[in-house]
Amino acid sequence: MKTIHIVYLVDDGITSCISGVGTIALHFLKAFGEIEARLRMRSLRIALSIVTIDFRPPTQSYGYGERQARLLCRSFGGELYVIRSVEGSSYFDFKSWSAYNAATRRIIELIGSHEEQEMIVIANDTIFGQSICAGAHIRTIWIPHSLSIVHQQSYADSSARLDWEQNAIMTLAQQADGYVGYISQMAAKMVRRLSSQHLMRLIPFINGFHLPSLRNSKMTNSTILSLLQANSIPTDMPILFSVSRADEYKGLPITLQAMVELCRDGDFHGVLIAARFSDEAFISDIHAELQSIAKGSSGIHLFLDFEPLLPRALMQHEHTRVLLNLPTRDLAPLIPLEAAVIGHEELITINSNIEIGIASCRERVSISVVAV
């Protein structure tokens, strides 16, 4: 039976889970046993190793866990490798990125030196764009979850970011077995624009969930009501709801402005969760802007920290009428997909991004939100 060693590179989802990348990693690992079993039926044996960075966010979060990840890897003939994060560096510190990638390449080469079996390196985020190793038995798939031409954040050096992405594409184009995985059709379109001078091999790596795990997160009505009451959210009013990381491209000011307007007459109650995910100053700026917009609006609840249970409770709460998902730039938003699986039947999702492939609105509720 042929053995393939998957080396999975991810910067979130193990020691933390504060982003869509982390959520995808979490669900991939939860599903791995089923993936391996199906491939074994096709006479393929799969080994698994994980390389991650020891990011520890200032807010509580729930990743897969180092111990659990290590046990998973060892049960499939691999190992967990944890790279120490550079203390005091911001996320978009490209000097730190280079150091992480150098360490990752050494690990990949170490794994490859001990075995002759085929390796597939899944580099699951933009940060791993320089973790590409040459070798006749190594295939590399780089999956960028953010790109400079889409996510122009004020706190990131756009020029350095663009150089990083184009270098990754150029290096992959020169490899016999180098690929770019795209998480949505929009991502594929953006990668093609970036790689106009290089013939790229694109393969789909569409974001999704391990459905049994997601469905198991459904709550009883008494649990939902207790959570809402504990957070002083009314349980007998129609609710407009939105949740996101407090990042610049998530459209949070637009969302909150829509909430304030729609809740002005007391017909709805608004709940916006803008989760802090690092200590960087721009998040405090976003929070200050949101507090200014909400000032004087009695029908709005604003949550500015990580909330592990409240978002799912609100998706499932029978009086939550609308989930607003209004990122100004997002390659593959996950929250609407999650709501489609575990949200209650009457929940309407209004999206600013129609390329995610699910129904964005039900006709029976006439609420219009314009996202600029």
Side-chain angles (χ1 to χ4, degrees):
M1 186 179 291
K2 182 179 180 180
T3 298
I4 298 175
H5 196 141
I6 292 177
V7 183
Y8 189 63
L9 319 180
V10 69
D11 57 328
D12 189 28
I14 308 298
T15 62
S16 62
C17 188
I18 57 173
S19 67
V21 174
T23 300
I24 291 303
L26 192 65
H27 282 266
F28 171 69
L29 298 181
K30 287 180 176 180
F32 191 80
E34 296 168 43
I35 295 169
E36 192 276 342
R38 292 196 180 191
L39 291 174
R40 187 178 286 269
M41 292 171 62
R42 301 185 181 185
S43 299
L44 286 174
R45 181 184 291 113
I46 302 296
L48 174 67
S49 288
I50 299 170
V51 182
T52 192
I53 303 167
D54 185 22
F55 288 134
R56 302 283 180 174
T59 186
Q60 188 179 26
S61 64
Y62 299 90
Y64 194 78
E66 281 187 59
R67 182 178 178 276
Q68 192 172 350
R70 184 169 284 107
L71 289 172
L72 179 71
C73 289
R74 289 178 178 175
S75 70
F76 290 105
E79 187 55 85
L80 170 69
Y81 301 88
V82 181
I83 299 168
R84 183 175 297 178
S85 60
V86 177
E87 189 173 349
S89 66
S90 64
Y91 181 77
F92 283 105
D93 180 340
F94 292 97
K95 185 177 179 181
S96 298
W97 282 26
S98 294
Y100 299 145
N101 279 259
T104 301
R105 289 194 301 272
R106 289 193 294 270
I107 292 168
I108 294 169
E109 290 164 358
L110 176 66
I111 295 170
S113 68
H114 290 167
E115 52 193 57
E116 295 299 324
Q117 64 196 24
E118 184 177 335
M119 293 170 57
I120 298 178
V121 177
I122 301 177
N124 190 35
D125 205 2
T126 314
I127 192 173
F128 290 108
Q130 291 183 7
S131 294
I132 302 155
C133 295
H137 64 298
I138 300 176
R139 296 181 182 180
T140 301
I141 306 166
W142 177 57
I143 309 168
H145 285 256
S146 65
L147 291 165
S148 56
I149 57 176
V150 180
H151 304 94
Q152 290 123 3
Q153 289 131 299
S154 65
Y155 55 91
D157 184 333
S158 295
S159 177
R161 190 173 179 178
L162 179 61
D163 287 345
W164 181 273
E165 295 159 1
Q166 290 182 327
N167 285 336
I169 288 170
M170 181 177 65
T171 305
L172 283 166
Q174 293 169 352
Q175 301 289 326
D177 284 311
Y179 304 83
V180 175
Y182 57 88
I183 61 175
S184 66
Q185 292 302 320
M186 183 189 292
K189 186 189 302 183
M190 295 299 105
V191 169
R192 288 190 186 98
R193 187 182 300 177
L194 273 175
S195 60
S196 58
Q197 297 178 8
H198 304 283
L199 183 61
M200 281 309 308
R201 291 170 291 272
L202 294 175
I203 58 174
F205 256 79
I206 306 302
N207 282 346
F209 295 99
H210 181 233
L211 293 180
S213 298
L214 191 56
R215 289 178 179 133
N216 284 340
S217 68
K218 287 196 173 183
M219 301 174 178
T220 65
N221 190 53
S222 61
T223 299
I224 293 169
L225 294 177
S226 294
L227 275 168
L228 268 57
Q229 289 165 355
N231 287 282
S232 301
I233 298 171
T235 58
D236 57 352
M237 283 188 66
I239 290 175
L240 306 177
F241 162 58
S242 186
V243 57
S244 177
R245 284 186 298 118
D247 212 338
E248 291 176 346
Y249 65 90
K250 294 296 186 178
L252 290 167
I254 294 169
T255 302
L256 187 55
Q257 287 163 5
M259 276 189 186
V260 168
E261 183 64 30
L262 292 165
C263 296
R264 191 181 307 279
D265 296 330
D267 295 327
F268 294 94
H269 189 84
V271 180
L272 187 141
I273 302 172
R276 175 175 286 279
F277 61 97
S278 83
D279 282 328
E280 294 177 81
F282 74 90
I283 296 178
S284 297
D285 294 339
I286 292 170
H287 283 169
E289 181 180 4
L290 295 175
Q291 288 171 322
S292 176
I293 294 169
K295 188 176 182 180
S297 300
S298 58
I300 301 289
H301 264 83
L302 196 57
F303 295 89
L304 304 180
D305 289 318
F306 178 74
E307 299 290 338
L309 300 175
L310 190 55
R312 285 181 176 173
L314 284 162
M315 286 180 190
Q316 297 171 49
H317 178 44
E318 62 181 349
H319 290 305
T320 304
R321 292 289 180 260
V322 178
L323 169 64
L324 296 175
N325 182 69
L326 305 178
T328 54
R329 305 180 299 279
D330 215 342
L331 292 176
L334 292 176
I335 290 168
L337 300 179
E338 183 175 357
V341 176
I342 66 169
H344 71 84
E345 291 184 359
E346 301 299 320
L347 179 65
I348 297 163
T349 300
I350 298 179
N351 297 298
S352 61
N353 175 359
I354 62 172
E355 296 194 47
I356 61 175
I358 65 169
S360 63
C361 193
R362 292 191 179 102
E363 293 180 356
R364 60 186 114 167
V365 175
S366 58
I367 293 179
S368 175
V369 178
V370 178
V372 179

